Amino acid sequence: MMFQIKFMCPRWGSESIPWNEFLSSVKKAGYAGIEWFPFGEKCNVQEVLDLLHHYELDFCIVMAVLQPYDGYKNYMETLEKDLIKLMAVRNQNKAPLFISAQTGREFFTADEICGCLQLCDKIQEEYGTSIYQETHRNKWSYAAHVVGPVLKNNKNVQLTFDVSHWFCVSESYLEDQQAAVNEAINHTRHIHARVGHTEGPQVWDPANEEYAEALQQHLLIWDQCVALAKQEKRADFSITPEFGPPPYMVKGNREISLVEEQWRLNLWMKDFLQHRYQHVLE
């Protein structure tokens, strides 16, 4: 079977666009599917699944606990309920490829982080859909120096790797934390391809020359993730270009609507990476 890279289009930021119109555009743009938080907007989930089937598009789920909670125990109860509800987002034609879970908080103890991982393990084993831990500010996975040791002790953890967060948190390109970065690469199954920099999680435009170094630092890591996936003979690897709407996006003096600008940035990223990795697919 030929190795393939699946590019997923984020629903995040496009919630105002009717589903049929959105998915039609996703298909025409050459994406393999969408990344979606089903409970982030009012919609008929089964109708969306039917539309995904109609357009022959895959989907993955991204999630975080949004409800207020009181302490760790209450957080874990809510996380479990949310994950189980998301596991039910499927029908006879469509099921999520995986769930990217932003779990825990940056102040959780080592034991509490372990509890989050054990809960995710239990649920993915019971329901049969993989749960990836997404590296993200504000979550347990907010920084390289925290995640590296956890991965060494938990070989089965799989990541959605968004290194833009780590660059921002560290105010560096992690030159002196390569061991942790390499450990993360070994555990990566999905990439959030947003370009950040040492002072923020999202650049103005990744094509701008002033962000050439930031782009290159991300590519150094993404290239290794893709090469490892092929080397390990995985059937596929997935990437979500994930430039976000405001406040991730700086409004400034942009000349088109912010929804159109977000679409443009993510499509540029998809096309750029598709061209870059063409040789990997041959």
Side-chain angles (χ1 to χ4, degrees):
M1 181 182 295
M2 183 178 293
F3 177 69
Q4 60 177 323
I5 298 176
K6 294 184 175 182
F7 288 93
M8 313 299 282
C9 181
R11 175 64 174 171
W12 176 40
S14 296
E15 293 90 350
S16 63
I17 301 174
W19 271 102
N20 189 59
E21 178 184 342
F22 173 70
L23 293 180
S24 176
S25 297
V26 167
K27 185 69 174 182
K28 289 175 183 175
Y31 289 97
I34 65 165
E35 184 171 275
W36 174 35
F37 180 37
F39 307 138
E41 61 182 296
K42 290 183 179 179
C43 65
N44 184 312
V45 168
Q46 290 303 317
E47 286 183 7
V48 175
L49 293 175
D50 289 342
L51 283 170
L52 285 165
H53 179 61
H54 171 75
Y55 285 108
E56 299 181 313
L57 291 168
D58 291 323
F59 77 100
C60 58
I61 289 173
V62 63
M63 68 82 63
V65 171
L66 300 182
Q67 304 95 310
Y69 57 89
D70 182 18
Y72 174 72
K73 182 175 183 294
N74 183 226
Y75 170 82
M76 292 294 284
E77 292 169 349
T78 305
L79 175 63
E80 182 171 20
K81 288 177 185 176
D82 285 357
L83 286 171
I84 290 172
K85 283 171 63 179
L86 289 169
M87 286 291 181
V89 178
R90 64 185 68 218
N91 61 22
Q92 61 182 357
N93 295 314
K94 285 293 167 186
L97 300 178
F98 54 86
I99 295 175
S100 287
Q102 300 175 13
T103 59
R105 284 295 305 273
E106 76 280 11
F107 54 78
F108 274 19
T109 67
D111 286 344
E112 288 169 345
I113 292 170
C114 185
C116 288
L117 298 179
Q118 289 175 346
L119 175 62
C120 290
D121 279 347
K122 183 190 82 164
I123 292 174
Q124 71 179 1
E125 184 174 342
E126 183 175 350
Y127 290 89
T129 296
S130 295
I131 299 173
Y132 301 164
Q133 299 296 314
E134 181 181 342
T135 59
H136 205 288
R137 289 168 302 144
N138 182 251
K139 306 301 184 287
W140 81 263
S141 55
Y142 73 100
H145 74 278
V146 174
V147 177
V150 172
L151 295 179
K152 278 192 174 182
N153 294 322
N154 294 271
K155 296 300 183 183
N156 293 328
V157 172
Q158 300 179 97
L159 294 182
T160 289
F161 197 11
D162 186 341
V163 76
S164 69
H165 290 285
W166 287 6
F167 289 162
C168 177
V169 167
S170 176
E171 289 194 324
S172 78
Y173 290 121
L174 304 174
E175 301 91 339
D176 51 356
Q177 298 189 66
Q178 284 304 300
V181 172
N182 291 338
E183 194 70 46
I185 290 169
N186 290 335
H187 287 254
T188 296
R189 295 299 179 270
H190 181 64
I191 286 172
H192 275 175
R194 178 177 56 248
V195 175
H197 57 111
T198 56
E199 299 299 336
Q202 180 167 305
V203 300
W204 175 273
D205 185 333
N208 284 4
E209 182 60 30
E210 65 185 288
Y211 297 120
E213 181 184 11
L215 176 60
Q216 182 59 30
Q217 292 297 327
H218 287 74
L219 291 171
L220 287 172
I221 291 170
W222 299 343
D223 288 355
Q224 293 178 73
C225 292
V226 171
L228 182 61
K230 185 173 184 181
Q231 178 185 323
E232 292 181 343
K233 300 188 184 305
R234 299 180 216 160
D236 54 49
F237 187 77
S238 56
I239 299 174
T240 299
E242 210 214 11
F243 287 86
Y248 272 85
M249 182 191 296
V250 177
K251 183 176 180 180
N253 60 348
R254 297 184 191 268
E255 296 178 353
I256 63 176
S257 81
L258 299 186
V259 173
E260 290 176 316
E261 179 69 340
Q262 184 192 5
W263 176 268
R264 184 189 72 80
L265 293 173
N266 284 323
L267 186 58
W268 182 91
M269 193 84 258
K270 179 192 78 74
D271 291 346
F272 176 84
L273 292 178
Q274 215 161 26
H275 176 75
R276 183 178 184 86
Y277 297 134
Q278 187 58 44
H279 72 283
V280 179
L281 304 175
E282 293 172 349

